[in-house]
Amino acid sequence: AAIQSALRQVSQPFIDREVMLALQGRGVLIYDGDLTGRPVANSSTTYPNVAFGWMSEAVHLGYQAALVSMHSPTYGRLWLSVEQHPGDTVSVTQAAALVQAAEAQTGARPWRRTDLLAARLASVKSQLQTAEMELEDAQARLAQTRQRLDQLTHELVVWQQRLAELTEDYHRRGRPERPHSRLAQARRGLQLRERRWPRRCRDLDRDFRRWERRQRRVELLQAERQTLEQRLAQFTEDNRTNPWPIRAIFRLDGGFGSGPNVALLIEMGYDVYSKASDGRVIRAYRRQVTATTPWTRVGQNSEVITWGNVRITHCPYPLDVALERFHTGAKQRHAVLLHYGETPVRSDPGSWFEFYNGRQDIEAGIKEGKNVFQMHHLKVRSPAGLPIQEQFAAFAANFVRWAAAWLHEMCPAAPAPFGQAQANVKRLVRIAANTSAWVIGQPQSWLLKFTELSAFAEVELVLRDSAPLQLALPFFEKL
């Protein structure tokens, strides 16, 4: 906890500054969220809280890291939050947590759309009232059907007893059974009720299943009403305590793009860019395409068709939808883009496609974390050490960017990778931080002069005297 507190204390001024710059420049904060696997050996038994899950296009034992980044005007990308979960955690369960983590770090949030939420709650209450009436009707019908079956069961017992008594009487008296005799009538009466029995059982089963469906619907609507009432109360309080609402965009991949998640982000005030998580949505829109439907090219091998004012399952709000078609050799792949917000994305599908694919920034960050900061291999196995490693890796990625921007201010004429405002992190960490140089003290500055044998021979960086300097720790001789 102390480590995490210290990292937040160091990071917060940088985050606050980038929030202000982003809002000043573009008037909007752009967040990206994702879930990435941290696999371990499938035979391992020493990692705590580990589970099998989908990672790297296969099932592995390991963890899932939920990450949120912010588009930064100065640094390009800033990590805001990383949270470790068991490997069987799936993206669709983490959308709300990602948004809350982003808001906790930036201290800024949009105006909650309580008007939409209140209208949705009113609709759910109306649906619940109708469902409760339908449930009462189903209960009455079920009770009637059960009563009819009970009556038939009683009649069966009576007619069985009557047939048995008459059969014994006719046998004792030696009377033959004639077509219209009392014994024949009793036999026909019993047969009639035996034929009715399966039909009455089917009726009971049908009415019971109808009652179950309506009971389940009432329970779901009651749970949804309770959730929405709690959410409305919370969002009303959020708005009351939010004197400075901002505009913000959240981009998420298809794993997060369920109807409930999209609806929640809309109600939280965000502009949403995502993909549909349900393959049935893709199939439904593909069925709407004919041979004459015009496609709009948005990339070298990508085309889209757009629709507006569309509603997907479990999301009551109108969305912009685009069916994507990707050409990979002779094969075609399809996906469905989802959007909610004030930007008229359908008027410029190319910009919509390009902006959503800006999510590649967080994907590049995930790759950077695995390859540059060694998160492809978890080096600790303690319950505290594992999240600390995640925290340090995210902090290190941010720190290198802060340092690179500072170095650019100190030495704006320096060659790459030192004279760049936005860092080439891989080159700075893997090469620059591991090459030899002389540190030379001068009256008003420090001179960092790379040696002839280094990758940056003849490069000199002059750092003014206010720059802090930490030399390598000395080696202690054995006593």
Side-chain angles (χ1 to χ4, degrees):
I3 289 172
Q4 292 176 344
S5 176
L7 295 181
R8 284 196 297 268
Q9 185 178 357
V10 173
S11 303
Q12 203 61 54
F14 294 94
I15 294 172
D16 292 344
R17 178 176 181 272
E18 293 309 298
V19 168
M20 295 301 295
L21 290 176
L23 293 174
Q24 183 182 32
R26 299 185 61 170
V28 62
L29 296 184
I30 301 174
Y31 298 114
D32 292 303
D34 212 341
L35 203 67
T36 185
R38 306 291 197 213
V40 301
N42 287 343
S43 58
S44 176
T45 59
T46 56
Y47 286 96
N49 304 317
V50 76
F52 280 97
W54 187 255
M55 309 172 201
S56 303
E57 303 300 324
V59 176
H60 291 285
L61 186 68
Y63 302 92
Q64 299 284 354
L67 301 113
V68 184
S69 69
M70 184 187 84
H71 179 77
S72 164
T74 305
Y75 310 109
R77 174 179 61 250
L78 272 183
W79 290 116
L80 297 179
S81 171
V82 56
E83 189 74 25
Q84 192 178 72
H85 301 282
D88 56 357
T89 303
V90 293
S91 299
V92 74
T93 64
Q94 296 302 308
L98 292 180
V99 176
Q100 292 163 358
E103 293 181 353
Q105 287 297 321
T106 61
R109 61 177 182 264
W111 190 260
R112 307 304 193 203
R113 295 186 175 104
T114 51
D115 53 341
L116 296 182
L117 183 53
R120 179 183 176 188
L121 178 58
S123 174
V124 168
K125 288 181 177 179
S126 176
Q127 294 175 46
L128 177 59
Q129 185 177 7
T130 302
E132 288 173 339
M133 294 173 61
E134 292 175 347
L135 177 61
E136 291 177 2
D137 179 68
Q139 287 174 329
R141 182 176 297 186
L142 178 62
Q144 184 180 14
T145 303
R146 183 177 283 117
Q147 183 178 8
R148 293 175 63 189
L149 181 60
D150 292 342
Q151 178 64 31
L152 180 60
T153 302
H154 175 71
E155 291 178 4
L156 274 171
V157 173
V158 171
W159 282 90
Q160 286 171 347
Q161 292 176 348
R162 185 175 182 183
L163 178 62
E165 292 171 356
L166 289 173
T167 300
E168 183 180 355
D169 180 62
Y170 271 58
H171 179 71
R172 186 178 66 253
R173 296 168 57 185
R175 294 180 59 184
E177 180 180 345
R178 301 184 184 280
H180 300 289
S181 65
R182 293 172 59 200
L183 178 59
Q185 292 176 0
R187 195 180 303 280
R188 287 194 296 271
L190 177 61
Q191 291 172 347
L192 175 65
R193 285 155 180 83
E194 287 176 341
R195 288 194 299 270
R196 288 177 180 171
W197 172 264
R199 185 169 65 251
R200 294 285 171 83
C201 289
R202 288 194 299 271
D203 291 346
L204 180 64
D205 182 63
R206 178 201 63 204
D207 292 345
F208 180 75
R209 283 186 279 109
R210 179 189 292 113
W211 173 84
E212 274 191 325
R213 288 194 302 270
R214 294 184 177 177
Q215 175 70 22
R216 193 179 308 116
R217 175 163 173 76
V218 167
E219 291 172 353
L220 290 174
L221 287 170
Q222 287 174 338
E224 185 177 5
R225 180 191 63 185
Q226 182 178 4
T227 298
L228 295 181
E229 286 175 342
Q230 294 172 350
R231 186 181 298 176
L232 181 59
Q234 179 61 55
F235 287 1
T236 301
E237 178 64 15
D238 288 349
N239 284 346
R240 189 187 69 80
T241 57
N242 187 10
W244 185 44
I246 54 115
R247 180 174 171 238
I249 295 172
F250 230 106
R251 296 185 297 197
L252 297 162
D253 74 5
F256 299 89
S258 67
N261 281 344
V262 173
L264 174 60
L265 265 65
I266 291 171
E267 290 161 359
M268 293 185 80
Y270 288 87
D271 289 10
V272 182
Y273 288 79
S274 186
K275 283 186 176 181
S277 60
D278 194 338
R280 291 173 295 184
V281 176
I282 300 175
R283 292 192 291 272
Y285 281 99
R286 289 187 65 181
R287 286 194 293 268
Q288 297 187 36
V289 178
T290 65
T292 59
T293 303
W295 292 82
T296 302
R297 182 167 295 279
V298 293
Q300 184 175 357
N301 64 341
S302 308
E303 301 168 304
V304 299
I305 301 173
T306 65
W307 291 266
N309 200 31
V310 171
R311 285 174 170 79
I312 62 173
T313 306
H314 303 305
C315 179
Y317 307 116
L319 306 175
D320 299 307
V321 171
L323 177 66
E324 294 181 288
R325 182 172 69 181
F326 303 93
H327 302 274
T328 308
K331 296 182 179 180
Q332 289 186 359
R333 295 182 296 110
H334 294 80
V336 169
L337 287 178
L338 306 176
H339 168 261
Y340 183 95
E342 59 186 56
T343 304
V345 293
R346 293 185 61 220
S347 63
D348 190 356
S351 296
W352 180 6
F353 179 82
E354 181 181 357
F355 181 77
Y356 176 76
N357 284 287
R359 282 197 69 260
Q360 293 173 359
D361 184 61
I362 192 173
E363 294 168 358
I366 291 170
K367 184 177 180 181
E368 176 187 273
K370 292 179 178 179
N371 296 333
V372 178
F373 298 103
Q374 304 298 307
M375 290 306 296
H376 67 287
H377 177 63
L378 300 178
K379 300 174 178 61
V380 292
R381 305 191 182 206
S382 68
L386 287 163
I388 286 175
Q389 183 179 354
E390 293 282 2
Q391 296 286 335
F392 269 131
F395 178 81
N398 287 345
F399 184 82
V400 172
R401 286 174 167 79
W402 301 333
W406 169 81
L407 189 59
H408 173 64
E409 292 177 3
M410 300 282 282
C411 309
F418 308 107
Q420 298 173 270
Q422 294 190 2
N424 184 330
V425 172
K426 182 176 181 180
R427 196 173 180 199
L428 287 173
V429 172
R430 288 198 168 179
I431 302 176
N434 291 283
T435 193
S436 56
W438 293 102
V439 180
I440 303 170
Q442 297 179 335
Q444 300 297 325
S445 63
W446 290 96
L447 174 64
L448 185 70
K449 183 177 181 180
F450 289 93
T451 66
E452 294 180 357
L453 299 178
S454 75
F456 307 105
E458 300 182 358
V459 173
E460 297 181 356
L461 304 176
V462 179
L463 310 177
R464 60 179 178 265
D465 58 356
S466 60
L469 175 66
Q470 178 178 315
L471 297 175
L473 296 175
F475 293 100
F476 291 95
E477 296 181 1
K478 294 183 179 179
L479 296 177

